[in-house]
Amino acid sequence: MATGMVSLQGSEEFPLMDNNQTSTIPESNKMGTNIIGENDWKPEIEPHRWRIPGQIDQSSQSFGQDIRHVASETYLITGLSFKLLRYLGVGYRWIIRLLALLCYAMLLLPGFLQVAYYYYFSSMVHRSIIYGDQPRNRLDLYLPTNPDGKKPVVVFVTGGAWIIGYKAWGSLLGLQLAKRDIIVACLDYRNFPQGTIRDMIKDVSQGISFVCNNIATSGGDPDRIYLVGQSAGAHISACALFEQAIKESQGKSCSWSVTQIKSYFALSGGYNLVNLVDHFDNRGLYRTIFFSIMEGESSLKKYSPELLVQDKSIEKAVRLLPTFYLFHGTNDNSIPSLASENFADALRKAGAHAELILYKGKTHTDLFVQDPLRGGKDELFEHMVSVIHADDQEALAKDAMAPPMRRFVPEILLKIAGRISPF
């Protein structure tokens, strides 16, 4: 098996195992609930067969090329926004929400601009690495500045109502985790109408497989991989975990194993689609659109992890699942916190490991946007890092001495943004 080198859009080069192909560079069963304020069977892993891609070495890129990349990414984001409006309609309700969204974004713009500068111009961010053959099969890789030793790895799946998910939404999380010596891979995936839920799950599973099989070339530890999903991304990644566990429990060969995922962190997710249809419809994600995303009303049970885990026929698969950490704000209007509470109960009753962490008074965007931009000590972030570093005493000692995260946005702007947020 030959060894090569790939430059992942940076000045550094990373060793690459080419899998005999040409390498190209085309572009306890029950855990507690906190109010904050295996089985020995191992599946046969099929070797990874995709091309190992990267982007052109950034040392050969000009500032003008970076500007063109910024422009293309901005064009994509704008297109996603208009696509959402086209499907949701432009009635009175959505005009009001659009105006609220614009005001919300403007209030948080000082923070967004700082994070965007890091995202586009940091040499430690390697953007749009190809992991599959579909148009949105891309991931962004965030590397720590300290290259010594193998690093734990987080695979992040963003939300976006299954319509406007985009990998760059994870840039602030990538920035903060990289400072704690953790590698972060933020996955992009096909959104509706480019794909339905089946395609989204397939893309996320391929992205996880790519990271599991190739992250060692970038200094990651393939034995310490953690999955994080937010909102719709929490639902999609939970579905991917269940699908993978079922395949493995049936003895099918796979390109990655669910047992490679040490823990799963789910932020503000929805896991019983049958119970959420009316809620989403009242919020503007109308049932006709939602049924199209989920491939029809009859498929809602199939893509509801809370209902899947209650199926006695997949008990063997449930035993393969990692520990689930379910985070949710009690004032979440987009997806009620009851969604995580019920899912945690279902997981525990089925024999899986689950911990529910509720944040009193927090909204859908507080946990993922306002709180990280606020700086200081973010309880959700610290909880996540403490789990990732649980078996590394040196890392835990460094975490204890880490300075508070810096503030990106003045408090007054954050409070006003929280009040007018359309989410």
Side-chain angles (χ1 to χ4, degrees):
M1 189 174 289
T3 302
M5 300 293 290
V6 164
S7 175
L8 301 181
Q9 196 182 331
S11 57
E12 300 158 294
E13 290 185 329
F14 300 89
L16 173 67
M17 304 304 293
D18 68 9
N19 291 324
N20 293 323
Q21 292 193 352
T22 302
S23 299
T24 61
I25 308 179
E27 351 186 46
S28 70
N29 294 337
K30 183 173 182 180
M31 302 181 72
T33 300
N34 300 319
I35 302 291
I36 300 179
E38 237 146 332
N39 137 358
D40 295 329
W41 179 83
K42 298 291 183 183
E44 177 186 356
I45 304 299
E46 186 179 80
H48 203 272
R49 296 299 180 189
W50 296 323
R51 292 185 303 172
I52 311 302
Q55 283 195 318
I56 298 171
D57 192 330
Q58 196 174 22
S59 62
S60 66
Q61 291 184 330
S62 67
F63 180 77
Q65 288 174 305
D66 279 331
I67 294 299
R68 284 194 293 274
H69 187 85
V70 172
S72 66
E73 299 285 276
T74 303
Y75 178 80
L76 174 59
I77 295 171
T78 303
L80 289 172
S81 300
F82 279 105
K83 182 168 68 175
L84 176 64
L85 288 175
R86 186 169 71 250
Y87 278 92
L88 297 181
V90 290
Y92 172 78
R93 181 189 300 179
W94 278 103
I95 291 175
I96 297 299
R97 291 205 174 184
L98 175 59
L99 292 175
L101 176 60
L102 292 174
C103 292
Y104 176 81
M106 290 301 297
L107 287 165
L108 301 182
L109 189 60
F112 292 159
L113 289 175
Q114 293 175 69
V115 176
Y117 183 84
Y118 163 79
Y119 175 72
Y120 287 116
F121 300 110
S122 172
S123 63
M124 305 312 293
V125 181
H126 307 298
R127 301 184 305 274
S128 296
I129 299 169
I130 301 170
Y131 68 77
D133 57 5
Q134 296 298 321
R136 296 290 296 279
N137 288 175
R138 306 288 188 272
L139 65 84
D140 295 329
L141 198 64
Y142 299 78
L143 300 178
T145 55
N146 173 22
D148 299 331
K150 291 183 177 181
K151 314 294 184 185
V153 181
V154 162
V155 179
F156 175 69
V157 184
T158 185
W162 300 275
I163 298 175
I164 57 168
Y166 182 52
K167 56 188 173 60
W169 302 162
S171 54
L172 180 55
L173 180 67
L175 164 63
Q176 293 174 334
L177 287 175
K179 288 184 176 180
R180 295 295 185 92
D181 227 19
I182 298 168
I183 294 175
V184 181
C186 293
L187 302 184
D188 217 350
Y189 55 88
R190 282 171 287 177
N191 290 179
F192 182 80
Q194 193 174 26
T196 61
I197 185 62
R198 187 196 311 267
D199 302 309
M200 301 176 203
I201 295 169
K202 179 181 178 181
D203 289 352
V204 166
S205 184
Q206 285 186 336
I208 296 171
S209 177
F210 181 88
V211 173
C212 287
N213 285 280
N214 298 291
I215 199 61
T217 66
S218 298
D221 187 345
D223 295 321
R224 287 190 294 163
I225 295 178
Y226 300 81
L227 182 62
V228 180
Q230 185 264 335
S231 192
H235 166 256
I236 296 167
S237 47
C239 288
L241 282 176
F242 272 84
E243 182 179 275
Q244 189 69 17
I246 291 170
K247 286 181 180 178
E248 292 180 26
S249 69
Q250 295 171 347
K252 297 180 180 179
S253 61
C254 307
S255 63
W256 66 284
S257 169
V258 72
T259 59
Q260 291 178 268
I261 306 300
K262 297 277 287 183
S263 300
Y264 172 53
F265 304 99
L267 286 62
S268 311
Y271 314 98
N272 187 333
L273 303 184
V274 177
N275 287 349
L276 289 169
V277 171
D278 290 339
H279 176 79
F280 287 152
D281 187 73
N282 291 332
R283 296 283 298 172
L285 184 55
Y286 304 119
R287 62 179 66 244
T288 53
I289 301 170
F290 190 62
F291 290 161
S292 295
I293 296 171
M294 299 301 162
E295 302 177 350
E297 185 175 5
S298 60
S299 295
L300 296 184
K301 292 183 179 180
K302 175 182 178 182
Y303 296 117
S304 293
E306 180 188 325
L307 301 179
L308 285 175
V309 76
Q310 299 175 48
D311 186 347
K312 298 296 184 182
S313 68
I314 65 165
E315 287 181 344
K316 186 175 180 180
V318 170
R319 291 197 297 270
L320 298 175
L321 294 171
T323 298
F324 279 58
Y325 293 89
L326 306 177
F327 302 98
H328 221 121
T330 59
N331 281 11
D332 190 331
N333 292 321
S334 294
I335 302 178
S337 59
L338 188 62
S340 288
E341 296 176 51
N342 290 341
F343 188 34
D345 287 341
L347 285 165
R348 293 165 181 162
K349 289 177 181 178
H353 300 263
E355 181 173 342
L356 172 67
I357 305 95
L358 298 177
Y359 293 87
K360 189 173 182 179
K362 298 294 185 179
T363 68
H364 195 70
T365 56
D366 277 329
L367 298 181
F368 190 66
V369 183
Q370 287 100 284
D371 285 351
L373 290 174
R374 179 172 281 112
K377 193 173 183 66
D378 185 333
E379 290 177 301
L380 187 155
F381 177 81
E382 295 297 338
H383 192 140
M384 190 183 302
V385 171
S386 69
V387 173
I388 295 172
H389 286 158
D391 297 326
D392 189 336
Q393 294 302 315
E394 183 179 350
L396 288 174
K398 289 181 179 179
D399 291 338
M401 300 297 293
M405 293 186 291
R406 72 182 182 88
R407 178 183 287 276
F408 288 87
V409 178
E411 185 64 24
I412 183 63
L413 297 183
L414 288 167
K415 288 184 176 180
I416 298 173
R419 287 184 178 274
I420 67 172
S421 171
F423 302 105

